[in-house]
Amino acid sequence: WSSTWRSEKANAGVKRILLQWYSRYSPYDFTGCLAHADITYEKQPLKIRRIVGILEHNPECQLGVMTRMPSIPLHPHHN
């Protein structure tokens, strides 16, 4: 999941973030999956106010395989 955008109400301490699974740096081909989460929360104290979106991936996405190396290694490789 990657952050697509964020917003914050200046005095209210309320933040909103949109997370989508796919980005142009993803090692998977785009399958048309619309999975995303729009999350609204308070910073202090940390409270989730709302989660909306499409939280399930389509079948093609669930069966996806890596087609290229990730731009950021997933874990260190030891020789």
Side-chain angles (χ1 to χ4, degrees):
W1 294 78
S2 63
S3 171
T4 302
W5 59 258
R6 298 171 187 248
S7 72
E8 182 172 359
K9 292 182 180 178
N11 296 330
V14 175
K15 290 189 124 189
R16 191 170 166 202
I17 185 170
L18 176 66
L19 300 173
Q20 291 180 305
W21 81 268
Y22 185 80
S23 76
R24 63 186 175 131
Y25 304 109
S26 175
Y28 299 90
D29 288 336
F30 182 63
T31 63
C33 184
L34 300 176
H36 69 281
D38 180 347
I39 303 168
T40 304
Y41 63 97
E42 294 178 27
K43 287 175 67 172
Q44 293 294 331
L46 185 58
K47 289 183 185 177
I48 303 293
R49 284 188 169 188
R50 178 181 79 147
I51 300 174
V52 295
I54 299 173
L55 304 177
E56 293 189 24
H57 295 273
N58 67 12
E60 294 83 6
C61 183
Q62 292 176 5
L63 297 173
V65 295
M66 252 198 288
T67 57
R68 57 196 154 275
M69 294 301 291
S71 57
I72 300 171
L74 300 175
H75 57 81
H77 295 280
H78 303 283
N79 294 330

